[in-house]
Amino acid sequence: MTQTADAAAPVHQPEQKPTRRRVHRAWFVAAVAFVTIIGAAAFRSVPGLLIDPLHDEFDWSRGTIGAAVSVNLALYGLTAPFAAALMDRFGIRRVVAVALTVIALGSGLTVWMTAAWQLMLCWGLLVGLGSGSMALAFAATVTNRWFTERRGLVSGILTAASASGQLIFLPLLSWIIDRYEWRPAAVTVALAALAVVPFVWLLLHDHPADVGQKPYGATEFVPKPAPVAGAARRAVTVLLSAARTGPFWLLAGTFAICGASTNGLIQTHFLPASHDHGMPITAAASLLAVIGIFDVVGTIASGWFTDRFDARRLLAVYYALRGVSLLFLPLLLAPTVHPPMIFFIVFYGLDWVATVPPTLALCREQYGEDSAIVFGWVLASHQVGAALVAFLGGVARDTFGSYDVVWYASGALCAVAALMALVIRRRAEGVPATV
């Protein structure tokens, strides 16, 4: 039996054009948030650079200057939970635009200061409030709203933005201060913050529902929640609720030590300590910039690890390695940059804020929808720890003539943080958080 010609002929299907897979809008929002945090991070590069110039020009003690830094660092943390609640009430875009404007105002006004209280007002109060509203609680809010998958990776990328800002601005600002003194550097920071405002206003959407999309990785459309009134009351209520659980105090304690050993210690006192040992300020600033480079790598890698491994064990490893590295730092400071110092910079840079993704993941695991605000309070403890060491480090330098005791004490605290991280227990589904 033979087949007919019609049966033997191939069946032609209509030609279909290959569909292009569009990049999810969440990644564009994350990119804008990354650039925004870089702009706000410009001022994070300044404190260590200005300690010696302000001391020389105004004859203010390092303890006085350190006190202004401590006010800035404390407000940077204490503002964060309220900022997270304000974002729920008024939207991310409005809060961030106002915060950047306040940073620019505070930085710009420092060029006219003549008294220490003005340093406290501009550098401590205004910039502290503005940068606090741009703190990691902002990153947590963006991550929670726009992503249900890759949250660890995105939180790592946004955390790395602060280090990227340091990477970009530290060499530039140190060169400006070395050549033109400190006032042009303060103006540069103000302009950098203002330059980001248009991007925020035009491109930073508050919620996926605003553009008719689902969060990245979500299977169902998520409607935009109604604005939450009483931002301050909600922030305090969430704090009181979280404070009744053991994990909150363990997370807050470990993060306080994290801030003490990073922002309060290295970011504030590494430059003057290096200068004490005869190293040029531009060389020391370049080393901090290298920390920023490797911090980007380490933090993104930490986000990737957090999606795959136990966050508690990651934190324990990070704090233990940081503590060991700080114990060796007094032996490495010298007039010139040598290979052991470079090894320390690379090693320390990889661990700088690698603690953020696993800490954020633990907040999310323990506290669910309130995790951004809880993380804001945990961040407040981070900055309180940083503020204490920023102040006490300056006092120690005035008292003992060196920073050695500060390095050793911070290394010991990191060992304590590693043990605290291991104590946090995994929360069972539907069971309230406990130790």
Side-chain angles (χ1 to χ4, degrees):
M1 183 176 180
T2 59
Q3 293 180 333
T4 65
D6 288 342
V11 178
H12 294 283
Q13 298 292 339
E15 184 178 351
Q16 296 182 352
K17 295 182 179 180
T19 58
R20 295 181 61 185
R21 188 174 182 180
R22 298 180 62 185
V23 178
H24 196 283
R25 183 68 67 89
W27 293 108
F28 292 104
V29 172
V32 174
F34 185 91
V35 173
T36 302
I37 295 172
I38 286 177
F43 203 88
R44 313 308 311 164
S45 305
V46 174
L49 291 171
L50 294 191
I51 288 179
D52 285 335
L54 293 179
H55 174 72
D56 294 339
E57 179 172 339
F58 298 107
D59 199 29
W60 297 335
S61 70
R62 290 177 176 82
T64 298
I65 300 170
V69 177
S70 70
V71 171
N72 174 280
L73 293 173
L75 286 175
Y76 177 86
L78 293 171
T79 305
F82 297 98
L86 285 172
M87 289 176 191
D88 288 340
R89 175 66 178 88
F90 298 105
I92 299 174
R93 180 170 57 180
R94 293 177 181 175
V95 174
V96 171
V98 171
L100 287 167
T101 304
V102 172
I103 290 173
L105 180 64
S107 181
L109 289 176
T110 57
V111 301
W112 289 289
M113 67 183 179
T114 56
W117 69 267
Q118 295 166 346
L119 177 67
M120 296 280 187
L121 174 64
C122 298
W123 194 352
L125 180 62
L126 291 178
V127 176
L129 290 173
S131 58
S133 300
M134 290 295 310
L136 295 175
F138 165 53
T141 301
V142 170
T143 303
N144 288 349
R145 289 187 181 185
W146 281 90
F147 293 86
T148 58
E149 292 182 357
R150 304 288 189 270
R151 280 177 168 174
L153 176 62
V154 174
S155 62
I157 292 172
L158 295 183
T159 302
S162 180
S164 299
Q166 176 176 290
L167 162 66
I168 293 170
F169 288 102
L170 253 179
L172 173 64
L173 294 176
S174 65
W175 178 82
I176 292 174
I177 291 172
D178 186 56
R179 186 160 184 172
Y180 300 106
E181 299 186 347
W182 64 271
R183 287 179 176 82
V187 173
T188 300
V189 170
L191 294 176
L194 286 177
V196 182
V197 173
F199 292 96
V200 170
W201 195 254
L202 295 174
L203 301 175
L204 189 63
H205 297 284
D206 288 329
H207 195 276
D210 291 339
V211 292
Q213 288 194 341
K214 297 178 291 186
Y216 180 84
T219 57
E220 297 180 355
F221 182 81
V222 178
K224 184 177 181 178
V228 180
R233 182 174 64 252
R234 185 186 176 206
V236 174
T237 301
V238 170
L239 170 64
L240 294 176
S241 176
R244 292 195 290 268
T245 66
F248 173 80
W249 293 106
L250 291 170
L251 289 168
T254 56
F255 226 40
I257 294 173
C258 179
S261 56
T262 52
N263 300 84
L265 182 67
I266 296 295
Q267 191 167 42
T268 304
H269 295 295
F270 179 79
L271 293 177
S274 299
H275 190 62
D276 285 348
H277 287 77
M279 183 181 294
I281 193 69
T282 51
S286 297
L287 290 176
L288 275 187
V290 173
I291 286 180
I293 295 174
F294 285 93
D295 178 40
V296 173
V297 177
T299 307
I300 294 175
S302 178
W304 188 87
F305 290 142
T306 301
D307 287 333
R308 291 161 175 79
F309 301 107
D310 187 347
R312 298 154 191 78
R313 294 182 179 179
L314 288 176
L315 283 179
V317 171
Y318 296 158
Y319 284 121
L321 293 176
R322 182 185 299 175
V324 171
S325 67
L326 287 174
L327 295 177
F328 284 96
L329 182 56
L331 305 176
L332 302 177
L333 291 169
T336 58
V337 179
H338 48 87
M341 173 58 81
I342 294 175
F343 179 80
F344 167 83
I345 292 297
V346 172
F347 187 87
Y348 193 86
L350 291 171
D351 197 10
W352 176 269
V353 285
T355 55
V356 173
T359 300
L360 181 55
L362 288 173
C363 286
R364 192 180 298 119
E365 174 189 308
Q366 299 285 342
Y367 303 105
E369 293 182 356
D370 291 330
S371 62
I373 297 177
V374 173
F375 181 72
W377 285 112
V378 172
L379 178 64
S381 71
H382 181 281
Q383 295 307 116
V384 169
L388 286 173
V389 172
F391 171 65
L392 294 176
V395 173
R397 170 61 179 82
D398 291 333
T399 303
F400 302 108
S402 77
Y403 286 101
D404 288 0
V405 66
V406 186
W407 309 131
Y408 294 134
S410 298
L413 284 174
C414 287
V416 174
L419 294 175
M420 293 173 66
L422 293 175
V423 174
I424 303 172
R425 294 182 180 175
R426 188 179 298 275
R427 181 183 178 185
E429 193 71 29
V431 178
T434 56
V435 176

